[in-house]
Amino acid sequence: MESSGPQSCPGNCLAFSRTHKGLVLIGEIVLCALTLACFGASRSGYAGLAALELLFAALVLLAWSCRLPPRLSLIYWGWSDFMRCLIGALLFLITSLIVIIDHHDGAGIAGGVFGILAGILLGYDAYITLPTRQGHGAAGTASPGGV
């Protein structure tokens, strides 16, 4: 592979994972995985939320890492990511508070705490995502991490 040619997807993934947005997405994935494990162990019934948000965060990380937004300008990447973060933050905060209040087992409480942390991180991600998209058109293609 020539040095002047485009980087491969794994190379882009490593470069993107070092950016601010990449670190936030990796943090979301880790917190969602911990929440999923705790909710699964407590049998609280809310493991689906953590699994879905884990999947969505991994897909967004993969899309930005492989630089898909410039290639797929049909999707409104900025608003899609903002809505994912906003809805995920609200759902995590609500369900985690319900689990902490109603369940008295250790795994449920731990899952609730991890869920609240995931909700806070998703809210922060929504906060940093929206201002970077306000100046762009409907199909902004700039990477959130400057990659």
Side-chain angles (χ1 to χ4, degrees):
M1 187 165 119
E2 297 177 7
S3 61
S4 61
Q7 290 184 345
S8 64
C9 189
N12 287 338
C13 187
L14 288 175
F16 182 75
S17 67
R18 294 183 185 111
T19 64
H20 183 71
K21 178 71 174 179
L23 291 174
V24 169
L25 281 169
I26 290 171
E28 289 174 11
I29 291 170
V30 169
L31 284 173
C32 287
L34 290 172
T35 305
L36 177 63
C38 292
F39 280 170
S42 73
R43 297 180 184 162
S44 63
Y46 296 108
L49 171 65
L52 247 124
E53 191 57 43
L54 174 69
L55 176 69
F56 289 154
L59 289 175
V60 168
L61 178 66
L62 181 67
W64 282 113
S65 297
C66 292
R67 298 183 183 190
L68 288 179
R71 296 179 195 153
L72 297 175
S73 60
L74 183 66
I75 299 172
Y76 303 131
W77 289 96
W79 286 105
S80 299
D81 193 26
F82 172 74
M83 293 305 293
R84 175 195 66 86
C85 295
L86 186 66
I87 292 170
L90 291 174
L91 289 176
F92 260 119
L93 291 174
I94 292 168
T95 56
S96 295
L97 287 174
I98 290 171
V99 169
I100 287 175
I101 291 170
D102 286 345
H103 291 83
H104 301 291
D105 61 334
I109 293 173
V113 170
F114 286 132
I116 287 176
L117 291 175
I120 291 170
L121 187 60
L122 282 162
Y124 174 71
D125 194 6
Y127 173 74
I128 64 171
T129 301
L130 181 62
T132 61
R133 301 294 175 221
Q134 288 178 345
H136 295 283
T141 58
S143 173
V147 176

